[in-house]
Amino acid sequence: MCSGFVIYLLVSVLSGGGGLGGPLGNLDGATVSRSSPGQVLGQECTTGADANAREDCRIVADVNSIQRYWTTAFKQSARSYALARTVFFSGSTDTGCGPASADVGPFYCPVDKHVYIDLGFFDELRTRFGARGGPFAQAYVLAHEYGHHVQDLLGILGRGSNEQGAEGRSVRTELQADCFAGVWAHHATETGFIASLTQADTADALDAAAAVGDDRIQAETQGQVNPETWTHGSSAQRRHWFGVGYRNGGPTACDTFGGRI
């Protein structure tokens, strides 16, 4: 297997699933789409070979894996996980939270329960933010935004999450989503959609997390770092909390709201 290349597989029937039919396992492949012209991604994605060969099929596999894990985790806690949709767009799109442009980056809208990803963002991870990129770096971005969906379902999202600052609730909310992404990564190969991960894969995810740290972005765009205006956390914090989730493998390890971060 090549270094840094995530291997996907198809499991046509998975136990403990969400009860939906779809081309990749029991989860619905139609939950991943483009905003214009309304095209469903992955309609032709039926095998792991498709996911290894085509980016859209890999995205479907990532989303299915992420939602498979959280469906199981919620069930184990006697909760019900509601599937979210992923919408890819170019330039701008309309959302339940209002109009959005590529400038805002990937985001989760709690009004319509959709994850929105600008199609050019994965390239920007490398060209603008300096990340190495790679398939699992992209998977980290998806898992982080689905982490916000999990927060929404748990009633965590929105409780003063606009509070800025290095110790503010906005940063704590984002770091918990990073941790939730790490938790999923810990279980990714158990979901039936990802066959194996290498150290290079997880290194790509950690590198992507660091690339979008507030301190790194401010230093590159403003020439100075101002922690009082942080909204997502430093590069070190983002790497740390993804690592906490990945090493521990349990959502309860992701308490970013109690104590220092």
Side-chain angles (χ1 to χ4, degrees):
M1 180 176 64
C2 297
S3 174
F5 186 73
V6 187
I7 300 297
Y8 297 86
L9 71 159
L10 169 69
V11 176
S12 59
V13 179
L14 296 176
S15 62
L20 296 177
L24 286 176
N26 279 349
L27 292 181
D28 190 353
T31 60
V32 185
S33 63
R34 297 179 188 268
S35 62
S36 178
Q39 175 189 4
V40 174
L41 289 180
Q43 287 179 318
E44 300 176 359
C45 302
T46 59
T47 70
D50 293 333
N52 285 320
R54 293 174 44 173
E55 183 179 42
D56 58 348
C57 295
R58 187 179 73 241
I59 290 168
V60 171
D62 287 335
V63 171
N64 276 257
S65 175
I66 293 163
Q67 299 214 88
R68 168 66 64 192
Y69 167 70
W70 287 113
T71 296
T72 301
F74 269 56
K75 185 176 181 180
Q76 291 172 346
S77 299
R79 294 176 178 269
S80 178
Y81 177 81
L83 294 175
R85 294 184 64 89
T86 299
V87 179
F88 284 77
F89 68 95
S90 296
S92 63
T93 190
D94 293 323
T95 80
C97 297
S101 70
D103 294 337
V104 302
F107 68 96
Y108 170 73
C109 174
V111 176
D112 58 21
K113 315 296 184 189
H114 287 16
V115 169
Y116 290 91
I117 307 287
D118 170 54
L119 285 168
F121 181 77
F122 293 143
D123 287 334
E124 284 194 351
L125 265 179
R126 294 181 293 101
T127 60
R128 178 182 174 188
F129 297 107
R132 291 192 299 264
F136 210 65
Q138 297 178 3
Y140 153 74
V141 172
L142 293 167
H144 172 93
E145 297 306 331
Y146 270 93
H148 287 314
H149 179 56
V150 171
Q151 291 173 321
D152 190 18
L153 296 179
L154 295 176
I156 298 171
L157 194 65
R159 297 180 187 172
S161 57
N162 291 326
E163 178 191 359
Q164 295 183 351
E167 295 286 333
R169 190 168 181 90
S170 177
V171 167
R172 294 175 184 273
T173 299
E174 296 298 334
L175 294 179
Q176 186 178 63
D178 281 334
C179 187
F180 283 165
V183 170
W184 162 73
H186 179 94
H187 296 279
T189 58
E190 301 169 10
T191 63
F193 295 101
I194 296 176
S196 63
L197 295 178
T198 67
Q199 289 184 343
D201 294 325
T202 55
D204 284 345
L206 288 166
D207 179 68
V212 289
D214 284 326
D215 56 341
R216 182 163 163 178
I217 292 174
Q218 287 182 343
E220 293 177 356
T221 61
Q222 302 173 18
Q224 60 183 0
V225 176
N226 182 8
E228 293 183 0
T229 62
W230 286 2
T231 58
H232 285 67
S234 70
S235 294
Q237 286 173 319
R238 302 201 69 172
R239 285 177 58 94
H240 169 74
W241 282 102
F242 177 88
V244 168
Y246 182 70
R247 291 189 300 272
N248 184 279
T252 57
C254 299
D255 181 11
T256 57
F257 297 98
R260 295 185 61 83
I261 48 177

